[in-house]
Amino acid sequence: MPGDARTTLLVIAKEPRPGRAKTRLAPAFTARGAAALAAAALTDTLRTVLAVPARRRILVLDGRPGPWLPEPDEGGARLEIVPQTGGSLDERLAAAFALCDGPALLVGMDTPQLTPAHLAPATGPAAWHRHDAFFGPAADGGFWALGMAAPDPALLRGVPMSTPRTGAVQRARLVAAGLTVTDLPELRDVDEPEDAAAVAAQAPGTLFAAEHARWRRPAQDAAARPDGGEEGAGRSGTA
């Protein structure tokens, strides 16, 4: 059954560079290893986005495109790439929704276990017939997906990000605006080493799982790591 090609799919992402991406995975992973996992997670996410029906598929990127970009699918689905705006995360998410003039669903790059089935409620043939908004809660209290039939950037501005209550506050914003909110399945973000292990086990066929198996090593075997055992980036930055 054909999907709802009215939906614009947004992916908000950071360029997966060593020392800048997934720094909270240290010391279980080196800086290069953490960046490799971030790149794999982004590739897996973008492959899923290319595999579902959509009006547009937009990668809202902080940084430069790289070899982690997947090839267009066999049906010719392609990604548009636009730079993220400056400012806090709530402002950047709001700016992403401002790119859309119709139904839009935004996802992050931290859930490589994402499948077309997870996105089906918002991309299926009746996606927006009875739904004003879709909300995908994350296990850490945030959210992995947010969709609106009529995107309103103001509903994101001022939401405190990266807290255990981010998701609850964002969902409450949607409800307070009078929107009918449909919840998507809860997913686990990859932030800490235990998250990476759990997600890799949950999605064994993904590029992320393969990279996790390649880079995860006991601390005492650092010299045997693919990058020669360089130090991790520490826990000071956001992943």
Side-chain angles (χ1 to χ4, degrees):
M1 183 177 292
D4 191 338
R6 294 182 302 157
T7 304
T8 293
L9 295 175
L10 300 162
V11 179
I12 188 146
K14 177 191 296 183
E15 179 187 357
R17 292 188 307 184
R20 186 169 181 262
K22 292 295 168 199
T23 57
R24 288 160 61 185
L25 293 179
F29 295 89
T30 64
R32 283 182 61 192
L37 287 180
L42 183 50
T43 300
D44 285 328
T45 300
L46 294 176
R47 285 175 176 172
T48 296
V49 165
L50 286 169
V52 298
R55 177 185 177 190
R56 300 169 67 192
R57 300 166 182 84
I58 305 175
L59 172 60
V60 187
L61 182 63
D62 176 6
R64 299 179 180 178
W68 38 265
L69 277 174
E71 295 293 329
D73 77 351
E74 293 181 359
R78 293 180 178 274
L79 291 165
E80 302 173 44
I81 303 175
V82 301
Q84 284 187 34
T85 62
S88 57
L89 180 55
D90 61 309
E91 290 289 345
R92 286 178 278 144
L93 296 181
F97 275 105
L99 299 170
C100 308
D101 58 0
L105 180 75
L106 179 143
V107 300
M109 61 177 285
D110 296 335
T111 51
Q113 71 273 45
L114 186 68
T115 67
H118 291 124
L119 302 179
T123 58
W128 303 99
H129 292 185
R130 298 181 181 178
H131 309 286
D132 300 321
F134 288 94
F135 182 79
D140 63 0
F143 58 91
W144 65 267
L146 178 63
M148 290 182 278
D152 182 357
L155 294 180
L156 291 103
R157 296 191 180 102
V159 173
M161 296 289 162
S162 302
T163 78
R165 287 192 48 78
T166 295
V169 173
Q170 182 61 76
R171 193 183 189 286
R173 279 280 192 94
L174 302 175
V175 173
L179 304 183
T180 300
V181 181
T182 299
D183 290 317
L184 300 173
E186 180 180 280
L187 295 181
R188 185 169 183 169
D189 285 340
V190 174
D191 292 320
E192 307 285 349
E194 56 269 28
D195 300 323
V199 169
Q202 180 184 354
T206 59
L207 179 60
F208 180 85
E211 288 296 291
H212 183 272
R214 176 186 177 216
W215 289 92
R216 182 70 176 98
R217 298 289 189 274
Q220 61 268 31
D221 292 338
R225 286 175 177 154
D227 62 1
E230 72 175 283
E231 292 298 322
R235 300 175 64 85
S236 58
T238 57

